Every structure is written in structure tokens, then in C-alpha cells.
Amino acid sequence: MDIHFLGAADTVTGSKHLVTMAGQRILLDCGLFQGYKNLRERNWALPDLDLRELDAVVLSHAHLDHSGWLPSLVKRGYRGPIYASPASRDLAEVLLLDSAHLQEEDARRANKYGFTRHEKALPLYTTADAKRAIAKITPLPTGRELPVGKLGITLSPVGHLLGACAVTLRHKSESLAFSGDVGRAKDLVMPAPEPLAGADVLLVESTYGNRRHPPEDVSLRLAYIVRDTLRRGGTVLLPSFAVGRAQALLLVLQRLKAAGEIPDRVPIYLDSPMATEATALYRKHRRLLRIAPAEANALCDGVRIVTTGAQSQKLSASRYPAIIISASGMATGGRVLHHIKALAPDPRHHIVFAGFQVGGSRGAHMLAGATEVKIHGEYVPIRAQVSGLEGFSGHADADELLQWMGRMRRPPRQTFVVHGEPDAADALRLRIKDELNWAARVPQHGERVSL
């Protein structure tokens, strides 16, 4: 067995792990690098990967840092199959088409307003590339081993996001398991992650490998933020990941209104076409959720859906207090940037990031206390209140990761800690060695390991 760590080995983004087993080459995840510029530039470099020898791609889930490089892979010549759970396949279609559209828009805007240092800015991939990649995704049912070539592949639900699964590859008595992103035992929307039976080798994520989620009730804290902001005549802006986080926020806001914790009269806007589509998919796959079907169907009851760009601009210019959910969750692109430009200079407003912020992203800068951020080529002052709601995270924290690993009936011979910033990955490595007594190490970007 050989493993080539092509992404998410020295950072929390760009998940790509090439596994060679029984003569077959399987790419686990095919994600975009996000955050710092030196990481984003990796998206333009061709990885050390012979596409002619790649047999298949298996996605753990649909988030762009796990699926977002698929159109580039296909654009550069990959012609093989892509496997994912049925719900991940549906979500990937929404996410990849939106990603392609945003990249085309960013390139168009850069060329129009001269934001680029190149002769002509080009998108990493186009909508046509995304459609070709989506057409290659074959749904695999979860919970049972299925033959793919010489290997058996099992997808095991792990919470975190609709359709998210750990991936187990097996050939005879040899096996490797990849956690993908592991969810929380008491997630608002998704069930607790299912334990794995065991594997010879484990690749485990470490996003929160050095942290514990705060014990506070994030619903009550959000209620306080809304009431406090409305009292001073301000708007609450919730930059949100369109898939997963937006649905959790809608659920909590609906519950808070029903309980009288926030005024029923305050308008809630969902300004993200992708979040609207994703919410429809959550209703379609509601049997996979922790919440009752009635709550899944009522996520958008009374919510004002913003569909067009003109409506979004009108909302940005509005002076009426409101709650706005808009993508993207780390303020790296999308309509939320126009709302930040409009709201950030005014101290009456409150910008609340409800989730993990990758280093180098605008969200991370703003949470760190930045007094200004650059948006569309100009610097925007930050005078609005800025907060983070870490409790909305869909990732297991360090304790929960150890509990999930500890439930494996057969411990691995070797564990590789991936998908985390260096301090988080190393902290989890130490806890795995000390508390589980497993062999564990943190691989480096581009490293090859033979086992």
C-alpha cells in the first residue's frame, strides 16, 4: 500500500490523498485549496499525478475543500469514474456549479476593473468543466461494501454534512480508512457519526485537533446578539457556508422565533441561491437528518428568499434592521461581500461568523480584529461589531475525534493526521499516541509513504 499526500497534509484545505492498493490508484477527495495566497496558488499547479494511471476518485463529502478541484481534474484530462454517496452527489452539483460561476465572475470583474496583474484573468475552471465533472459522479449507497475493480469500498456516514461519509478501501485482508470530516455527536441537524469497524491504516482529520467546542448554548447567544443589535437599529449579517451551516442557522432562527426569543417581526433574508438549492436538497434527503421531517420542511417558512443580484443590492442598501444569511461563510467571495461593504463601516451592525475560518480568509482577518479588509480592489473599514459562533461548527472537536476513533473495534497499525493546521494536527497526534496508544504521525504536503 502506498499513500501520496497531495493536499490537506500541512493545512486544513485542499484534501487529496492518492492511495495505491492492489495495483489500483484511488484518489480520496479532490478539494480546492483555500485561505492564504500561497495555498490558493496550488490550485493552479498540476499535482504530481499521472491522470492516465488514476483508476477512480472517491469523495468523502461535497464541501469545496474536498470536491472543488474535480472540474480542474476533468479539465486536465481525467476520464475515469467519481464515486460519492447519493446526497453528496446532489450537493456536489450545486457547489461545483456555484464555484465555477463565482470564478468566472471574479475573472470577469478583475478584467473589467483592472484587479488582475496578468494580461487577462482566467477562471480556474468554467461552468462547462464543472458540468463534465458532475456527469462523472456515480452514487454509491452507504453502509455496505461494494466492489470497485479489485477493491471493496464502503461509505460510512459520519454526520458533519448531508451525505458525508468516511471511506474504507479493502483488498483481501488489507484495508485503509479515511475519515473525511467527522461530525459532532450532538450536531443540530446531522446524526452522530457512525463508528468504523477498523482498518490497518487510518487517515483522520484534525480541524479542531487542538480545541474543545465551548459549552455555551449557541442558540441563546445568537438570540442575545439579535436582540442587542436590533435595539440599536442594526442588522445582523451571518456570513454562512451555503451547505450545512445555512440550514443550521435557519433551524435555530425558526426555533428562536417560535419560542419568542427574538421578535417575530424581524425579517430574515436568505441571500444565497446556492443555500436555497441546498435547503431543498436537505428536505429531499430529510431521512438522513436528526431533525423531524416537519422541521426540515419548515426551514424557510416566513424567510424572504433573495434570488436576483438586483434584489441583493437593494437589500444591501436597505436601512431597515434585519437578519441576513449570505454566502460565503469565510467571506472569500459571493454576495456576502456586498453586504460587508455596506454594513461593516457602521457600528450599529453586527457581523457574526458561525463557523471555522481558514487562516488567510477575510473572515479570519475580521475575527482577529482587522480594522479594514480589501473587497473588490478597495479597503473597507470595519466599525461594525464582529463575533464568532464556534458552537455552530459541524466538525468534531478534539475530544469527540478521540471518542470516535476509540470506538473502532480494531485499532489501526498506523494513523496519519491530516486536514488540520500544523498546531492542530500535531496536538491531535500527541493525544492519539498518549491516550489511545496508537502509532500516529503528521504527513507533509507531497510526501509519499509505503506501507
Side-chain angles (χ1 to χ4, degrees):
M1 183 192 306
D2 295 318
I3 310 171
H4 190 183
F5 297 97
L6 297 167
D10 58 356
T11 181
V12 76
T13 71
S15 183
K16 296 183 196 73
H17 310 291
L18 179 63
V19 177
T20 303
M21 184 186 296
Q24 291 194 274
R25 290 160 62 85
I26 307 295
L27 184 64
L28 299 174
D29 281 351
C30 189
L32 274 178
F33 287 97
Q34 299 168 313
Y36 294 110
K37 183 179 179 181
N38 66 314
L39 293 176
R40 299 196 309 272
E41 287 176 344
R42 291 180 183 176
N43 292 322
W44 294 88
L46 184 65
D48 185 10
L49 177 65
D50 189 340
L51 299 182
R52 295 169 298 181
E53 296 182 2
L54 182 59
D55 294 298
V57 179
V58 184
L59 294 184
S60 64
H61 65 290
H63 274 147
L64 288 179
D65 58 332
H66 294 258
S67 74
W69 210 76
L70 282 174
S72 283
L73 191 75
V74 172
K75 179 180 181 179
R76 293 167 190 251
Y78 177 63
R79 296 294 178 262
I82 301 165
Y83 297 106
S85 72
S88 288
R89 186 261 167 230
D90 288 350
L91 283 181
E93 179 173 5
V94 173
L95 282 159
L96 294 177
L97 288 175
D98 183 77
S99 174
H101 171 72
L102 288 178
Q103 291 183 64
E104 289 173 330
E105 273 297 296
D106 287 346
R108 182 195 64 78
R109 189 180 294 112
N111 289 321
K112 181 177 180 179
Y113 297 106
F115 299 157
T116 179
R117 297 179 182 178
H118 304 284
E119 184 176 340
K120 183 180 180 181
L122 298 172
L124 180 63
Y125 49 77
T126 65
T127 299
D129 297 323
K131 288 180 177 179
R132 283 193 289 271
I134 292 162
K136 291 185 175 297
I137 303 178
T138 299
L140 285 185
T142 64
R144 65 178 187 268
E145 184 174 282
L146 295 163
V148 176
K150 298 177 183 178
L151 301 178
I153 297 181
T154 304
L155 300 181
S156 306
V158 287
H160 177 66
L161 181 75
L162 188 70
C165 290
V167 182
T168 300
L169 306 179
R170 187 187 63 81
H171 176 68
K172 297 181 180 178
S173 63
E174 184 179 50
S175 60
L176 175 144
F178 168 49
S179 71
D181 284 353
V182 181
R184 305 183 64 184
K186 297 181 179 179
D187 188 84
L188 284 163
V189 178
M190 298 303 302
E194 296 180 6
L196 299 180
D200 297 307
V201 177
L202 173 67
L203 277 60
V204 64
E205 68 118 330
S206 56
T207 309
Y208 281 85
N210 60 346
R211 280 177 286 178
R212 293 181 176 92
H213 291 307
E216 68 177 350
D217 186 325
V218 290
S219 299
L220 293 180
R221 184 163 174 234
L222 180 58
Y224 171 79
I225 288 172
V226 170
R227 294 194 302 266
D228 184 60
T229 305
L230 293 177
R231 272 197 295 268
R232 58 178 184 256
T235 284
V236 176
L237 175 63
L238 294 159
S240 173
F241 303 106
V243 180
R245 196 61 37 78
Q247 291 72 41
L249 288 167
L250 287 169
L251 175 67
V252 168
L253 290 170
Q254 293 286 12
R255 289 177 175 177
L256 290 176
K257 275 198 170 188
E261 293 288 342
I262 61 175
D264 188 59
R265 69 181 185 279
V266 60
I268 300 172
Y269 293 91
L270 182 61
D271 186 12
S272 168
M274 182 169 62
T276 303
E277 290 182 70
T279 303
L281 290 177
Y282 269 69
R283 291 196 293 265
K284 173 184 174 182
H285 294 281
R286 55 186 174 272
R287 66 179 181 81
L288 301 177
L289 307 180
R290 153 172 269 150
I291 61 177
E295 276 200 302
N297 289 331
L299 287 175
C300 287
D301 283 3
V303 175
R304 305 182 188 189
I305 307 298
V306 181
T307 55
T308 68
Q311 290 173 337
S312 180
Q313 291 175 3
K314 184 177 180 181
L315 177 59
S316 287
S318 173
R319 293 172 181 249
Y320 191 82
I323 301 169
I324 302 172
I325 303 171
S326 186
S328 68
M330 294 183 288
T332 53
R335 292 182 179 180
V336 75
L337 296 183
H338 297 284
H339 295 305
I340 292 175
K341 286 174 71 173
L343 300 175
D346 189 333
R348 292 177 302 166
H349 304 307
H350 201 143
I351 301 171
V352 184
F353 290 94
F356 184 81
Q357 303 297 305
V358 170
S361 64
R362 286 190 188 88
H365 288 311
M366 292 173 69
L367 279 178
T371 58
E372 61 181 12
V373 290
K374 192 175 185 179
I375 299 176
H376 300 152
E378 60 181 277
Y379 284 94
V380 177
I382 307 296
R383 302 189 188 98
Q385 192 170 353
V386 177
S387 297
L389 279 179
E390 192 175 292
F392 273 98
S393 174
H395 283 273
D397 65 14
D399 289 348
E400 291 168 324
L401 284 169
L402 285 161
Q403 290 164 10
W404 178 74
M405 284 184 279
R407 293 169 67 196
M408 293 176 70
R409 292 193 293 273
R410 179 168 63 89
R413 290 187 286 109
Q414 179 66 56
T415 299
F416 293 97
V417 183
V418 298
H419 201 279
E421 300 295 359
D423 54 347
D426 197 55
L428 185 63
R429 174 191 67 84
L430 288 171
R431 289 193 64 181
I432 291 171
K433 291 181 70 174
D434 293 343
E435 297 177 35
L436 298 178
N437 199 28
W438 294 358
R441 57 180 295 252
V442 179
Q444 295 303 300
H445 179 68
E447 184 178 348
R448 298 172 188 259
V449 176
S450 294
L451 298 164

